[in-house]
Amino acid sequence: MSEEGLPARRAALALLDAVLRQGRTLDSAAQGVKLPPNDAGLAVAIAGETLRRLPDLDSAIDSATRQRLPDDSKARMVLRLALAQKVGLGTPDHALVATALPLVAGGPRRLVHGVLGTLLRRGIVLPEAPTLPAEVEERWASAWGEDMVLAARRAIGHRPPLDLSFAHDEGAQAYPLGTSLAPRHRRLAEAGNVPELPGFGDGGWWVQDLASSLPARLIPDDARNVVDLCAAPGGKTMQLAAAGHRITAVDRSESRLARLKENLGRTGLIADLVPADALTWSPPRAFDAILLDAPCSATGTFRRHPEVLYRARPSVIGDSAELQARLLDRASAMLKPGGVLVYAVCSLEPAEGEDVIAAFLARAPRFRVAPPVAGELPDGVTPSPEGWARVLPGMLEPAGGLDGFFVARLVGAPA
Ligand SMILES: C[S@@+](CC[C@H](N)C(=O)[O-])C[C@H]1O[C@@H](n2cnc3c(N)ncnc32)[C@H](O)[C@@H]1O
């Protein structure tokens, strides 16, 4: 292998370090990769593949050496990257070795060479459905049961489909690709290059997981003034604007709000943008409906962002739940009597979903849950007995599955 392959592997190593040791997201770390697009893409693909299969890669590594390699040691990181390329990307053995060893030059080169040689000779067989980190499997098994964990393993082993949300249902029905699983929706089996998909330039659709489109579907059609309190980058704002609401989009991140503005520009949809912290913002008027798509651990997006499985430590989930409760209290004070408040998180943690709503209802008894009615959720997603929508791995699995989500619609008492 020429020197050509090395920069991408070096970048993959830096990405893995940024995610696992510095707690960054793969997307944000990838923005710092200064390489030609092909190499940068390869680096992200290697790091992503590694994160998707980390526990199984570690078991393979441990089976080939008596030495206990620390989790964050360079030797383990380089071996993980090399094996991920072998099993996930089909990289030839000679290229794996030639690009792994320079990464440990001046360090544990012999050890890495030895472990890699042993595993390549022996053959690396990993489970078809990747094992998740042990603490995540334990947490999810106790919250949702073993079947959910098995479904989550299967989900992370497959490339998720690409969901498009359309401004108008006619656009979705007429779209030449994929299938429709709900109004204003189209699912494509393969992601591909989004800007090259038919109609991208026309702005009639945007990328949005079907589960992520559920919260806005629960805002009543007749709510005129609606606020989206954690709005950027704007998938739900665009749904609400397209549905004809007068929408105010608040977000405290100016850079994310700039992306929302770009998205509105491309789709030709209109919203009032407010850069503000929802905890301290004083709205000029009360709203008919509020969408609170709160910041969370994002564990529901583990198929696309496997690093969330490593970032969502119990302390992170606890801090997040505290912020969600404060945002919910603040949001409820912005609502007209009888108004609708939809709370959503892309999380598979009950602490950020069910528990937040149960505690809110206990301290704000003027609110009640208004369960989704027929036609508001796609077939295959049924409301829980409590009246909220809990989307878990395994739902719609034959059609490509869904991101994990929690959505509750609350209605305030009339005046
Ligand atoms: C889950 S994302 C929202 C995704 C968005 N609703 C969509 O559909 O594209 C959460 C957002 O909340 C914003 N955020 C976090 N804390 C906030 C706060 N206190 N006030 C306003 N926005 C906040 C973040 O900047 C982030 O953009």
Side-chain angles (χ1 to χ4, degrees):
M1 150 99 19
S2 68
E3 280 292 301
E4 267 168 41
L6 257 182
R9 272 69 177 194
R10 267 192 218 295
L13 183 61
L15 288 174
L16 204 57
D17 186 75
V19 167
L20 293 177
R21 290 209 307 155
Q22 301 163 35
R24 302 195 35 209
T25 65
L26 188 54
D27 280 353
S28 85
Q31 283 167 17
V33 175
K34 301 283 175 261
L35 288 177
N38 279 353
D39 284 347
L42 177 59
V44 173
I46 295 172
E49 203 54 41
T50 307
L51 291 163
R52 220 184 299 285
R53 297 173 181 270
L54 204 67
D56 296 322
L57 297 174
D58 279 344
S59 301
I61 293 167
D62 292 338
S63 75
T65 172
R66 268 198 277 274
Q67 224 169 307
R68 168 72 207 155
L69 306 182
D71 275 357
D72 57 358
S73 63
K74 202 168 194 189
R76 186 179 287 280
M77 295 280 195
V78 169
L79 284 165
R80 287 166 167 169
L81 291 172
L83 299 182
Q85 291 169 67
K86 170 81 180 167
V87 295
L89 305 176
T91 309
D93 293 1
H94 64 89
L96 291 182
V97 178
T99 53
L101 297 184
L103 300 180
V104 279
R109 193 184 146 97
R110 271 177 72 177
L111 170 73
V112 168
H113 201 178
V115 174
L116 206 45
T118 303
L119 288 170
L120 293 177
R121 270 192 310 278
R122 193 201 277 173
I124 307 156
V125 183
L126 300 186
E128 199 183 314
T131 311
L132 309 178
E135 59 277 17
V136 175
E137 292 205 341
E138 279 160 29
R139 197 169 70 227
W140 288 356
S142 83
W144 311 114
E146 298 289 344
D147 283 351
M148 178 278 200
V149 172
L150 296 178
R153 287 185 185 177
R154 291 193 298 275
I156 202 170
H158 289 105
R159 269 182 214 297
L162 184 77
D163 287 326
L164 307 181
S165 275
F166 285 75
H168 305 290
D169 197 43
E170 304 81 69
Q173 295 310 324
Y175 199 66
L177 305 175
T179 49
S180 180
L181 301 176
R184 301 177 301 284
H185 167 263
R186 207 86 193 169
R187 169 162 287 189
L188 280 56
E190 286 288 325
N193 187 9
V194 171
E196 285 171 11
L197 289 174
F200 178 81
D202 304 337
W205 55 259
W206 53 94
V207 173
Q208 184 176 33
D209 189 86
L210 178 57
S212 168
S213 78
L214 302 185
R217 293 174 188 267
L218 298 190
I219 297 285
D221 290 344
D222 61 358
R224 169 128 182 82
N225 286 310
V226 178
V227 65
D228 184 353
L229 278 180
C230 291
K236 300 172 189 72
T237 297
M238 291 188 282
Q239 283 178 278
L240 293 167
H245 303 285
R246 182 171 168 202
I247 168 95
T248 304
V250 178
D251 203 285
R252 73 170 178 196
S253 160
E254 300 228 8
S255 59
R256 288 174 65 93
L257 216 48
R259 280 177 57 206
L260 199 167
K261 197 171 174 190
E262 259 173 52
N263 285 332
L264 290 171
R266 185 178 73 79
T267 53
L269 294 166
I270 292 171
D272 295 332
L273 304 193
V274 180
D277 186 329
L279 291 172
T280 50
W281 179 58
S282 297
R285 60 179 174 275
F287 294 95
D288 302 313
I290 296 178
L291 176 60
L292 175 59
D293 182 28
C296 69
S297 63
T299 46
T301 67
F302 71 99
R303 301 183 299 170
R304 298 168 209 280
H305 304 290
E307 75 273 20
V308 295
L309 299 172
Y310 299 92
R311 300 174 72 223
R313 307 237 167 255
S315 63
V316 172
I317 295 169
D319 290 351
S320 181
E322 208 175 291
L323 174 61
Q324 288 150 1
R326 290 169 61 212
L327 283 165
L328 200 45
D329 286 344
R330 186 68 205 113
S332 65
M334 300 178 190
L335 199 61
K336 280 188 187 164
V340 166
L341 170 51
V342 172
Y343 172 82
V345 276
C346 57
S347 166
L348 285 164
E349 317 304 327
E352 296 182 290
E354 289 80 351
D355 299 354
V356 169
I357 292 302
F360 174 75
L361 291 172
R363 64 179 183 274
R366 68 180 193 285
F367 282 90
R368 64 175 177 82
V369 177
V373 297
E376 283 187 319
L377 298 177
D379 289 346
V381 181
T382 40
S384 68
E386 297 86 351
W388 41 64
R390 163 50 81 184
V391 182
L392 292 174
M395 289 181 178
L396 296 191
E397 189 172 344
L402 293 169
D403 280 354
F405 242 89
F406 172 84
V407 192
R409 175 167 55 194
L410 310 174
V411 180

